[in-house]
Amino acid sequence: MTTNRALNDWIDEIARLTKPDRVVWCDGSENENRTLIEQMIADGTLIELNPQRYPNCYLHRSDPRDVARTEQSTFICTPKREDAGPTNNWMSPEETRRKVGPLFDGIMRGRTMYVVPYLMGPPGSPFSSVGVEVTDSPYVVANMRIMTRMGTVALEHLGASGEFVKGLHALGDLDPARRYICHFPEERLIWSINSGYGGNALLGKKCHALRIASAQARDEGWMAEHMMIVGIEDPSGNVTYIAGAFPSACGKTNLAMLVPPPSQKGFKVWTVGDDIAWLRFGPDGRLWAVNPETGFFGVAPGTSEKTNPNAMAALSRNSIFTNVALTPEGTPWWEGMSPPPPTATDWQGQPWTPSSGRKAAHPNARYTAPARQCPSISPHWEDPQGVPISAIIFGGRRARLAPLVYQSFNWQHGVFIGASMASETTAAATGKVGVVRRDPMAMIPFCGYNMADYFRHWLEMGAGRDKMPMIFHVNWFRTDEDGNFLWPGFGENLRVLRWIIDRVNGRAAAVETPIGFVPAPDSLDLTGLNISTETMNKLLFIDREAWREEARSVAEFFNRFEDRLPAELWEEHRQLLARLGG
Ligand code: GTP
Ligand code: SPV
Ligand code: MN
């Protein structure tokens, strides 16, 4: 309960609509969490893992129809279709109320309605924003407790203010055909029904911190981005912060937690955030960033002691695992974690052996782990003013075309690079995997308004400012003819981050190409890395004909925005073609 009138009124209204048997206000306490977990163990929603090996850890198995974000059921509900833009599904607020509203009528009958106040961003920070998620899923409550500052702290932050993001979530029957994730940016309201999974149901994350926040940020002159934030400390103790936008399952978490290889003596890496960044100008005119979350909802497959020991430490206790396999010892397992166990129970609860011919964990299996448990967590990760950003990197999965790293010529060209980004689709959303699609700034699924206006906002953020971060593009996923990755990735990515930092400080040498600056031979530190000159040449090769083809495809994409696309981006496109010689 609270004394906040606006909040009480809204909760009453939702309870009248959804008709739960009970209403429980969540305070975020240890006791409350314990009770919820025990209840979920009793009803089979959670399976307790081996308490010696994984203390206070639990496994949840989703309905097989509900294992990833569903972009086809995600809507931006602005009065005018043009305000959602050509890359979002649109429904008018009236139609949404007419069509989706009735689905909530009585949906919580026989169930408990949890009221979850949460704070995105550090307490006392000008960046921070309160939301209230109403849900009938105790699994959502337990996850929100890890991912956000939940309960009393949020109500205290809210005080008597009526300014909070409203999120209504109901599990329903999980029928994908009647699944709706609806956003009303003008009312700061979210409706989610018939899914219990991640980005569809933990409304503080993609729905609030990206879709609603991006629209708010446009109005108020800041940015809400699908970015990790990492600090690189050099041997003399200087820390440079970098923000990076890569599409879902394309390496943000791993980059934010990277472990320097042995040859990179004296470097330390500090994790500030792994998925979302809110950026604002500081009094010094620089761009500062906070991570609004308090946990990691990370991709499990591929995560191991070798690839990401920091994540492995973070998820070793007080964590929830979704759609991973279970070993006979009661420990979680997924592809790439360690050699396969001789027998296991797969993510759907079926007996599994390595010769079963199918995956034990779902490719989008995830862990929910508290950020404070990450050994590389930055001492500044909860600083109310954030950390100052020196470079922004865009990246994606491109088997071909995009070189290991290149630098933009200036802010406007950097925005063009972000706006023309593409990446192969992954299991983070339902649909075909491995198809190249445009994913500007890794925000195609998460921008709460017309992306043409979003590009305009990016351009305006940098206009007339001389302390903007430099913009780079990276690609860890280029492959050879046989489909093997050319670049070792993971910890070795530090070598590329060091080149980026050296460029920011005017130290590293570069070669100008039609697409931007690439490392001059020998300007990337490759000591201790067994990689041939031939492979490096392949990684940095710019195939002009392929880039001309790419430019044609970018033009097709830009044309979808018609007159609304900022002319500056067409100008950059024209200049790129001119540099490519056609
Ligand atoms: P979301 O949480 O979906 O937004 O994803 P993310 O961008 O945080 O992706 P994450 O770091 O979890 O990586 C996704 C997958 O890519 C995992 O299976 C990783 O093991 C793999 N991966 C990450 N970094 C690298 C890399 O440098 N090279 C290669 N080859 N794979 C990588
Ligand atoms: C993503 O898909 O980018 C995620 C996972 O970070 S989810 O929260 O499900 O959106
Ligand atoms: Mn993400």
mmCIF file of all heavy atoms in Angstrom, residues 206 226 246-254 274-275 297 299 301-303 366 397 428 476-477 485 488-490 493, ligand 1:
data_model
loop_
_atom_site.group_PDB
_atom_site.id
_atom_site.type_symbol
_atom_site.label_atom_id
_atom_site.label_comp_id
_atom_site.label_asym_id
_atom_site.label_seq_id
_atom_site.Cartn_x
_atom_site.Cartn_y
_atom_site.Cartn_z
ATOM 1 N N LYS A 206 12.812 -3.909 -21.619
ATOM 2 C CA LYS A 206 12.698 -3.372 -22.974
ATOM 3 C C LYS A 206 11.514 -2.404 -23.100
ATOM 4 O O LYS A 206 11.600 -1.407 -23.811
ATOM 5 C CB LYS A 206 12.540 -4.512 -23.980
ATOM 6 C CG LYS A 206 13.632 -5.564 -23.910
ATOM 7 C CD LYS A 206 15.002 -5.010 -24.198
ATOM 8 C CE LYS A 206 16.036 -6.124 -24.200
ATOM 9 N NZ LYS A 206 17.351 -5.701 -24.627
ATOM 10 N N HIS A 226 20.044 0.616 -26.484
ATOM 11 C CA HIS A 226 20.312 -0.818 -26.269
ATOM 12 C C HIS A 226 21.836 -1.018 -26.254
ATOM 13 O O HIS A 226 22.411 -1.528 -27.202
ATOM 14 C CB HIS A 226 19.660 -1.602 -27.420
ATOM 15 C CG HIS A 226 19.625 -3.089 -27.221
ATOM 16 N ND1 HIS A 226 19.534 -3.961 -28.282
ATOM 17 C CD2 HIS A 226 19.637 -3.861 -26.098
ATOM 18 C CE1 HIS A 226 19.498 -5.215 -27.821
ATOM 19 N NE2 HIS A 226 19.563 -5.168 -26.500
ATOM 20 N N PHE A 246 24.953 -3.445 -29.749
ATOM 21 C CA PHE A 246 24.921 -4.607 -30.640
ATOM 22 C C PHE A 246 23.527 -5.217 -30.515
ATOM 23 O O PHE A 246 22.966 -5.235 -29.423
ATOM 24 C CB PHE A 246 25.929 -5.687 -30.248
ATOM 25 C CG PHE A 246 27.340 -5.227 -30.006
ATOM 26 C CD1 PHE A 246 28.204 -6.042 -29.288
ATOM 27 C CD2 PHE A 246 27.825 -4.014 -30.466
ATOM 28 C CE1 PHE A 246 29.510 -5.658 -29.036
ATOM 29 C CE2 PHE A 246 29.126 -3.622 -30.224
ATOM 30 C CZ PHE A 246 29.972 -4.449 -29.506
ATOM 31 N N PRO A 247 22.988 -5.757 -31.610
ATOM 32 C CA PRO A 247 21.664 -6.379 -31.516
ATOM 33 C C PRO A 247 21.635 -7.525 -30.498
ATOM 34 O O PRO A 247 22.680 -7.983 -30.028
ATOM 35 C CB PRO A 247 21.429 -6.899 -32.938
ATOM 36 C CG PRO A 247 22.266 -6.019 -33.795
ATOM 37 C CD PRO A 247 23.498 -5.728 -32.988
ATOM 38 N N SER A 248 20.446 -7.988 -30.195
ATOM 39 C CA SER A 248 20.240 -9.053 -29.219
ATOM 40 C C SER A 248 21.114 -10.269 -29.542
ATOM 41 O O SER A 248 21.202 -10.681 -30.709
ATOM 42 C CB SER A 248 18.776 -9.463 -29.225
ATOM 43 O OG SER A 248 17.971 -8.337 -28.954
ATOM 44 N N ALA A 249 21.736 -10.797 -28.511
ATOM 45 C CA ALA A 249 22.602 -11.979 -28.628
ATOM 46 C C ALA A 249 23.772 -11.756 -29.587
ATOM 47 O O ALA A 249 24.172 -12.662 -30.320
ATOM 48 C CB ALA A 249 21.797 -13.219 -29.003
ATOM 49 N N CYS A 250 24.318 -10.550 -29.611
ATOM 50 C CA CYS A 250 25.460 -10.252 -30.470
ATOM 51 C C CYS A 250 26.683 -9.795 -29.674
ATOM 52 O O CYS A 250 27.611 -9.215 -30.234
ATOM 53 C CB CYS A 250 25.096 -9.214 -31.519
ATOM 54 S SG CYS A 250 23.990 -9.883 -32.774
ATOM 55 N N GLY A 251 26.704 -10.010 -28.371
ATOM 56 C CA GLY A 251 27.966 -9.847 -27.647
ATOM 57 C C GLY A 251 28.078 -8.704 -26.662
ATOM 58 O O GLY A 251 29.187 -8.440 -26.171
ATOM 59 N N LYS A 252 26.994 -8.016 -26.309
ATOM 60 C CA LYS A 252 27.113 -6.915 -25.340
ATOM 61 C C LYS A 252 27.571 -7.419 -23.967
ATOM 62 O O LYS A 252 28.511 -6.876 -23.383
ATOM 63 C CB LYS A 252 25.769 -6.176 -25.179
ATOM 64 C CG LYS A 252 25.361 -5.374 -26.390
ATOM 65 C CD LYS A 252 24.050 -4.621 -26.165
ATOM 66 C CE LYS A 252 22.882 -5.511 -25.843
ATOM 67 N NZ LYS A 252 22.528 -6.513 -26.874
ATOM 68 N N THR A 253 26.890 -8.449 -23.463
ATOM 69 C CA THR A 253 27.218 -8.954 -22.127
ATOM 70 C C THR A 253 28.679 -9.394 -22.073
ATOM 71 O O THR A 253 29.412 -9.072 -21.129
ATOM 72 C CB THR A 253 26.290 -10.138 -21.772
ATOM 73 O OG1 THR A 253 24.944 -9.675 -21.836
ATOM 74 C CG2 THR A 253 26.589 -10.672 -20.390
ATOM 75 N N ASN A 254 29.086 -10.124 -23.103
ATOM 76 C CA ASN A 254 30.460 -10.628 -23.118
ATOM 77 C C ASN A 254 31.487 -9.507 -23.196
ATOM 78 O O ASN A 254 32.522 -9.564 -22.544
ATOM 79 C CB ASN A 254 30.640 -11.606 -24.282
ATOM 80 C CG ASN A 254 30.063 -12.971 -23.932
ATOM 81 O OD1 ASN A 254 30.765 -13.813 -23.396
ATOM 82 N ND2 ASN A 254 28.780 -13.154 -24.170
ATOM 83 N N ASP A 274 25.160 -4.194 -19.102
ATOM 84 C CA ASP A 274 25.330 -5.159 -20.196
ATOM 85 C C ASP A 274 24.235 -5.083 -21.263
ATOM 86 O O ASP A 274 24.298 -5.808 -22.237
ATOM 87 C CB ASP A 274 25.397 -6.593 -19.640
ATOM 88 C CG ASP A 274 24.011 -7.184 -19.394
ATOM 89 O OD1 ASP A 274 23.122 -6.426 -18.928
ATOM 90 O OD2 ASP A 274 23.813 -8.375 -19.676
ATOM 91 N N ASP A 275 23.213 -4.205 -21.067
ATOM 92 C CA ASP A 275 22.112 -4.252 -22.038
ATOM 93 C C ASP A 275 21.493 -2.891 -22.359
ATOM 94 O O ASP A 275 21.058 -2.674 -23.478
ATOM 95 C CB ASP A 275 21.015 -5.203 -21.523
ATOM 96 C CG ASP A 275 20.035 -5.635 -22.610
ATOM 97 O OD1 ASP A 275 20.491 -6.053 -23.686
ATOM 98 O OD2 ASP A 275 18.814 -5.547 -22.387
ATOM 99 N N PHE A 297 20.062 -10.224 -17.571
ATOM 100 C CA PHE A 297 19.198 -11.267 -18.129
ATOM 101 C C PHE A 297 19.958 -11.763 -19.355
ATOM 102 O O PHE A 297 19.715 -11.330 -20.470
ATOM 103 C CB PHE A 297 17.822 -10.692 -18.471
ATOM 104 C CG PHE A 297 16.824 -11.724 -18.938
ATOM 105 C CD1 PHE A 297 16.425 -12.755 -18.097
ATOM 106 C CD2 PHE A 297 16.285 -11.660 -20.208
ATOM 107 C CE1 PHE A 297 15.501 -13.707 -18.519
ATOM 108 C CE2 PHE A 297 15.351 -12.610 -20.647
ATOM 109 C CZ PHE A 297 14.965 -13.632 -19.798
ATOM 110 N N VAL A 299 22.223 -14.273 -22.098
ATOM 111 C CA VAL A 299 22.163 -15.481 -22.924
ATOM 112 C C VAL A 299 23.043 -16.554 -22.277
ATOM 113 O O VAL A 299 24.234 -16.334 -22.073
ATOM 114 C CB VAL A 299 22.695 -15.200 -24.347
ATOM 115 C CG1 VAL A 299 22.720 -16.462 -25.190
ATOM 116 C CG2 VAL A 299 21.884 -14.106 -25.030
ATOM 117 N N PRO A 301 23.601 -20.058 -23.458
ATOM 118 C CA PRO A 301 24.468 -20.831 -24.358
ATOM 119 C C PRO A 301 25.708 -20.043 -24.786
ATOM 120 O O PRO A 301 25.628 -18.851 -25.087
ATOM 121 C CB PRO A 301 23.556 -21.132 -25.555
ATOM 122 C CG PRO A 301 22.182 -21.161 -24.969
ATOM 123 C CD PRO A 301 22.199 -20.071 -23.922
ATOM 124 N N GLY A 302 26.840 -20.732 -24.768
ATOM 125 C CA GLY A 302 28.096 -20.076 -25.121
ATOM 126 C C GLY A 302 28.799 -19.447 -23.936
ATOM 127 O O GLY A 302 29.960 -19.058 -24.042
ATOM 128 N N THR A 303 28.119 -19.336 -22.796
ATOM 129 C CA THR A 303 28.740 -18.730 -21.615
ATOM 130 C C THR A 303 29.497 -19.817 -20.841
ATOM 131 O O THR A 303 28.909 -20.834 -20.476
ATOM 132 C CB THR A 303 27.663 -18.102 -20.704
ATOM 133 O OG1 THR A 303 26.840 -17.237 -21.489
ATOM 134 C CG2 THR A 303 28.287 -17.333 -19.557
ATOM 135 N N ARG A 366 18.274 -18.327 -20.709
ATOM 136 C CA ARG A 366 18.856 -17.141 -20.059
ATOM 137 C C ARG A 366 19.079 -17.380 -18.576
ATOM 138 O O ARG A 366 18.425 -18.216 -17.957
ATOM 139 C CB ARG A 366 17.908 -15.945 -20.223
ATOM 140 C CG ARG A 366 17.618 -15.573 -21.682
ATOM 141 C CD ARG A 366 18.159 -14.234 -22.040
ATOM 142 N NE ARG A 366 18.105 -14.000 -23.479
ATOM 143 C CZ ARG A 366 18.684 -12.952 -24.060
ATOM 144 N NH1 ARG A 366 19.336 -12.063 -23.345
ATOM 145 N NH2 ARG A 366 18.622 -12.777 -25.368
ATOM 146 N N ARG A 397 26.432 -9.034 -36.177
ATOM 147 C CA ARG A 397 26.900 -10.314 -36.696
ATOM 148 C C ARG A 397 26.887 -10.218 -38.198
ATOM 149 O O ARG A 397 25.816 -10.230 -38.815
ATOM 150 C CB ARG A 397 25.915 -11.417 -36.304
ATOM 151 C CG ARG A 397 26.204 -12.083 -35.026
ATOM 152 C CD ARG A 397 25.126 -13.106 -34.709
ATOM 153 N NE ARG A 397 25.190 -13.333 -33.280
ATOM 154 C CZ ARG A 397 25.905 -14.293 -32.716
ATOM 155 N NH1 ARG A 397 26.564 -15.167 -33.450
ATOM 156 N NH2 ARG A 397 25.963 -14.409 -31.404
ATOM 157 N N ALA A 428 17.107 -14.635 -29.935
ATOM 158 C CA ALA A 428 16.535 -13.758 -28.912
ATOM 159 C C ALA A 428 15.103 -13.339 -29.252
ATOM 160 O O ALA A 428 14.349 -12.938 -28.377
ATOM 161 C CB ALA A 428 17.406 -12.531 -28.716
ATOM 162 N N TRP A 476 32.805 -8.943 -34.691
ATOM 163 C CA TRP A 476 33.586 -10.090 -34.168
ATOM 164 C C TRP A 476 33.263 -11.359 -34.938
ATOM 165 O O TRP A 476 33.781 -12.422 -34.650
ATOM 166 C CB TRP A 476 33.279 -10.379 -32.694
ATOM 167 C CG TRP A 476 33.174 -9.252 -31.719
ATOM 168 C CD1 TRP A 476 32.220 -9.114 -30.753
ATOM 169 C CD2 TRP A 476 34.074 -8.147 -31.533
ATOM 170 N NE1 TRP A 476 32.453 -7.981 -30.006
ATOM 171 C CE2 TRP A 476 33.570 -7.369 -30.456
ATOM 172 C CE3 TRP A 476 35.243 -7.717 -32.183
ATOM 173 C CZ2 TRP A 476 34.188 -6.202 -30.013
ATOM 174 C CZ3 TRP A 476 35.858 -6.556 -31.745
ATOM 175 C CH2 TRP A 476 35.340 -5.816 -30.675
ATOM 176 N N PHE A 477 32.322 -11.279 -35.901
ATOM 177 C CA PHE A 477 31.693 -12.508 -36.405
ATOM 178 C C PHE A 477 31.985 -12.798 -37.877
ATOM 179 O O PHE A 477 31.288 -13.573 -38.505
ATOM 180 C CB PHE A 477 30.172 -12.434 -36.171
ATOM 181 C CG PHE A 477 29.803 -12.341 -34.708
ATOM 182 C CD1 PHE A 477 29.559 -11.090 -34.113
ATOM 183 C CD2 PHE A 477 29.717 -13.464 -33.913
ATOM 184 C CE1 PHE A 477 29.213 -10.992 -32.769
ATOM 185 C CE2 PHE A 477 29.380 -13.377 -32.554
ATOM 186 C CZ PHE A 477 29.128 -12.137 -31.984
ATOM 187 N N PHE A 485 34.792 -18.612 -37.445
ATOM 188 C CA PHE A 485 35.086 -17.220 -37.103
ATOM 189 C C PHE A 485 36.557 -16.915 -37.354
ATOM 190 O O PHE A 485 37.438 -17.673 -36.953
ATOM 191 C CB PHE A 485 34.749 -16.945 -35.634
ATOM 192 C CG PHE A 485 33.269 -17.002 -35.345
ATOM 193 C CD1 PHE A 485 32.752 -17.891 -34.409
ATOM 194 C CD2 PHE A 485 32.381 -16.170 -36.024
ATOM 195 C CE1 PHE A 485 31.382 -17.956 -34.146
ATOM 196 C CE2 PHE A 485 31.007 -16.215 -35.763
ATOM 197 C CZ PHE A 485 30.515 -17.119 -34.825
ATOM 198 N N PRO A 488 39.282 -14.406 -32.872
ATOM 199 C CA PRO A 488 39.023 -15.235 -31.686
ATOM 200 C C PRO A 488 37.969 -14.663 -30.737
ATOM 201 O O PRO A 488 37.329 -15.410 -29.993
ATOM 202 C CB PRO A 488 40.393 -15.310 -31.005
ATOM 203 C CG PRO A 488 41.192 -14.173 -31.560
ATOM 204 C CD PRO A 488 40.677 -13.925 -32.929
ATOM 205 N N GLY A 489 37.769 -13.376 -30.761
ATOM 206 C CA GLY A 489 36.674 -12.780 -29.980
ATOM 207 C C GLY A 489 36.900 -12.786 -28.476
ATOM 208 O O GLY A 489 38.030 -12.924 -27.994
ATOM 209 N N PHE A 490 35.806 -12.590 -27.747
ATOM 210 C CA PHE A 490 35.789 -12.599 -26.274
ATOM 211 C C PHE A 490 36.919 -11.733 -25.705
ATOM 212 O O PHE A 490 37.015 -10.574 -26.075
ATOM 213 C CB PHE A 490 35.791 -14.045 -25.767
ATOM 214 C CG PHE A 490 34.606 -14.829 -26.282
ATOM 215 C CD1 PHE A 490 34.749 -15.743 -27.334
ATOM 216 C CD2 PHE A 490 33.338 -14.618 -25.765
ATOM 217 C CE1 PHE A 490 33.647 -16.433 -27.835
ATOM 218 C CE2 PHE A 490 32.228 -15.312 -26.254
ATOM 219 C CZ PHE A 490 32.396 -16.214 -27.293
ATOM 220 N N ASN A 493 38.950 -9.301 -27.698
ATOM 221 C CA ASN A 493 38.338 -8.049 -28.187
ATOM 222 C C ASN A 493 38.946 -6.821 -27.526
ATOM 223 O O ASN A 493 38.804 -5.698 -28.023
ATOM 224 C CB ASN A 493 36.817 -8.079 -27.980
ATOM 225 C CG ASN A 493 36.146 -9.143 -28.848
ATOM 226 O OD1 ASN A 493 36.680 -9.513 -29.892
ATOM 227 N ND2 ASN A 493 34.996 -9.637 -28.416
HETATM 228 P P1 GTP B 1 21.059 -9.642 -25.401
HETATM 229 O O1 GTP B 1 21.046 -9.971 -23.959
HETATM 230 O O2 GTP B 1 20.145 -10.535 -26.211
HETATM 231 O O3 GTP B 1 20.790 -8.205 -25.724
HETATM 232 O O4 GTP B 1 22.493 -10.078 -25.997
HETATM 233 P P2 GTP B 1 24.019 -9.608 -25.844
HETATM 234 O O5 GTP B 1 24.332 -8.620 -26.907
HETATM 235 O O6 GTP B 1 24.330 -9.241 -24.449
HETATM 236 O O7 GTP B 1 24.783 -10.940 -26.272
HETATM 237 P P3 GTP B 1 25.798 -11.874 -25.456
HETATM 238 O O8 GTP B 1 27.016 -11.153 -24.982
HETATM 239 O O9 GTP B 1 25.022 -12.611 -24.432
HETATM 240 O O10 GTP B 1 26.274 -12.884 -26.588
HETATM 241 C C1 GTP B 1 25.406 -13.721 -27.284
HETATM 242 C C2 GTP B 1 26.139 -14.898 -27.878
HETATM 243 O O11 GTP B 1 27.257 -14.477 -28.654
HETATM 244 C C3 GTP B 1 26.691 -15.834 -26.801
HETATM 245 O O12 GTP B 1 26.464 -17.168 -27.202
HETATM 246 C C4 GTP B 1 28.164 -15.535 -26.795
HETATM 247 O O13 GTP B 1 28.930 -16.640 -26.378
HETATM 248 C C5 GTP B 1 28.449 -15.123 -28.238
HETATM 249 N N1 GTP B 1 29.575 -14.140 -28.311
HETATM 250 C C6 GTP B 1 29.729 -13.032 -27.548
HETATM 251 N N2 GTP B 1 30.898 -12.386 -27.843
HETATM 252 C C7 GTP B 1 31.474 -13.094 -28.836
HETATM 253 C C8 GTP B 1 32.694 -12.931 -29.588
HETATM 254 O O14 GTP B 1 33.481 -12.006 -29.383
HETATM 255 N N3 GTP B 1 32.946 -13.861 -30.561
HETATM 256 C C9 GTP B 1 32.081 -14.912 -30.795
HETATM 257 N N4 GTP B 1 32.412 -15.771 -31.767
HETATM 258 N N5 GTP B 1 30.929 -15.101 -30.108
HETATM 259 C C10 GTP B 1 30.626 -14.204 -29.146
#
